[in-house]
Amino acid sequence: MSVSAAPNIYGIIAYPVTPFSSDGIDTERLTALVERLVSSGVHGIAPLGSTGELAYLEEAEFDTVVDTTIAAVNGRVPVVVGVSDVTTARTIRRAQYAQQAGADAVMVLPVSYWKLTDREIAQHYRSIGQSIGIPMMAYNNPATSGVDMSPELLVTMFGEIDNLTMVKESTGDLNRMRRIAELSEGQLPFYNGSNPLVLDALKVGASGWCTAAPNLRPKPCIDLYEAVRAGDLEKAQIHYDDLKPLLQFIVAGGLPTTVKAGLDLLGVPVGEPRRPLLPLDEQGRGELKDLLRAA
């Protein structure tokens, strides 16, 4: 299948939560949340990552989130849809649906019950890539997927799979990002997925920051990125120091749980996370309220 030109994906790529209603997806609240993020000035929207609780959705719910998000964005910024599943077949179905709905790219996290070999990982991505005509972002996050992709494997796949054009690196290991840049001779764009690492990642050349933080504090996220891009590292450090306590809190408490609680505290209710996840407890809500009030 021929591959469309890679979209210009950079900067702050925001991950919306998925609001639930009693009978599935609350499309009205999802539309409002996406509008809030796009209007804040983020550079991209990435539904159905870990923050969007993709692992807990039925297929019809996945389709609803994709359709609702793409309609709400309405072409204003790129949309990168998370399509990961434990099977190659269902990942392909989701990737094809995302493409048909108008996604600019898909993000694929290799997830498996069994430990995958590099050969199996590469074939997984190759099969998905051959089934669609839009770019793929390879997502490395062994803490959630149980699968760790080395920089060597990622760069090899970049050279062999036409539409694997980007990497989201979430291990929190800056050396991996440097290695990706070195091995690909700067040709493979990488994106930071580790919130506490963002400043250092941008300094070493990350093309963007994939993050749930803009749900709660979009402006300092954008200001941090813009400061690094302008070479004003002193200002970037100020923005990072301002954001750091919140970034550490939402990561430690689980992104869907903490971000949904934070939105509720900000007067933007989006409901509770889906079981087995539980809402943030009262102590946690108090700490988060203090962090948001201090900001």
Side-chain angles (χ1 to χ4, degrees):
M1 180 178 292
S2 61
V3 180
S4 61
N8 188 20
I9 296 173
Y10 66 93
I12 303 302
I13 303 165
Y15 283 65
V17 296
T18 299
F20 298 114
S21 64
S22 58
D23 57 354
I25 307 300
D26 191 326
T27 56
E28 184 175 340
R29 284 180 170 174
L30 178 56
T31 297
L33 179 59
V34 171
E35 178 60 37
R36 184 172 181 267
L37 287 167
V38 174
S39 297
S40 74
V42 299
H43 306 100
I45 297 291
L48 298 168
S50 303
T51 304
E53 299 179 74
L54 171 59
Y56 305 128
L57 300 189
E58 302 294 335
E59 292 303 283
E61 293 176 326
F62 170 91
D63 296 351
T64 297
V65 172
V66 172
D67 292 338
T68 303
T69 302
I70 291 174
V73 171
N74 194 27
R76 290 174 288 174
V77 295
V79 177
V80 183
V81 175
V83 298
S84 312
D85 185 72
V86 72
T87 68
T88 300
R90 192 148 64 181
T91 306
I92 287 173
R93 190 211 76 82
R94 291 174 171 180
Q96 290 176 332
Y97 189 92
Q99 174 176 302
Q100 182 181 12
D104 296 283
V106 295
M107 182 177 66
V108 181
L109 175 77
V111 184
S112 184
Y113 178 86
W114 297 103
K115 181 179 175 63
L116 298 179
T117 64
D118 284 359
R119 183 171 68 94
E120 290 166 331
I121 294 169
Q123 185 57 53
H124 180 65
Y125 278 98
R126 188 175 297 111
S127 297
I128 299 160
Q130 290 170 347
S131 75
I132 57 175
I134 56 176
M136 291 189 294
M137 176 185 284
Y139 177 17
N140 190 45
N141 190 356
T144 57
S145 71
V147 177
D148 191 4
M149 296 184 287
S150 68
E152 289 76 10
L153 174 61
L154 290 165
V155 173
T156 297
M157 292 194 299
F158 170 64
E160 295 178 350
I161 302 171
D162 288 344
N163 51 346
L164 197 160
T165 63
M166 303 168 277
V167 170
K168 176 186 173 185
E169 173 55 57
S170 296
T171 59
D173 183 349
L174 196 65
N175 288 328
R176 287 179 179 240
M177 296 184 185
R178 292 193 179 104
R179 186 68 173 153
I180 289 169
E182 176 189 351
L183 290 171
S184 70
E185 298 181 343
Q187 297 302 303
L188 175 53
F190 60 91
Y191 300 76
N192 175 61
S194 172
N195 283 309
L197 191 68
V198 56
L199 180 54
D200 288 336
L202 291 173
K203 285 180 180 178
V204 300
S207 296
W209 176 20
C210 303
T211 176
N215 287 281
L216 305 179
R217 296 195 63 200
K219 188 176 187 305
C221 296
I222 297 167
D223 289 345
L224 169 58
Y225 170 76
E226 296 292 354
V228 175
R229 191 169 71 164
D232 191 341
L233 298 185
E234 183 176 347
K235 182 181 287 186
Q237 185 70 54
I238 292 170
H239 291 309
Y240 175 72
D241 291 342
D242 175 37
L243 278 168
K244 186 177 178 180
L246 177 65
L247 298 179
Q248 292 175 327
F249 183 90
I250 64 176
V251 170
L255 295 174
T257 296
T258 55
V259 172
K260 285 187 169 183
L263 284 166
D264 185 58
L265 290 168
L266 292 173
V268 186
V270 289
E272 297 181 353
R274 180 165 279 180
R275 304 295 186 271
L277 301 180
L278 293 174
L280 194 62
D281 60 25
E282 286 306 310
Q283 179 180 341
R285 283 178 67 90
E287 293 177 23
L288 182 53
K289 185 175 182 179
D290 289 342
L291 287 171
L292 295 173
R293 183 187 294 118

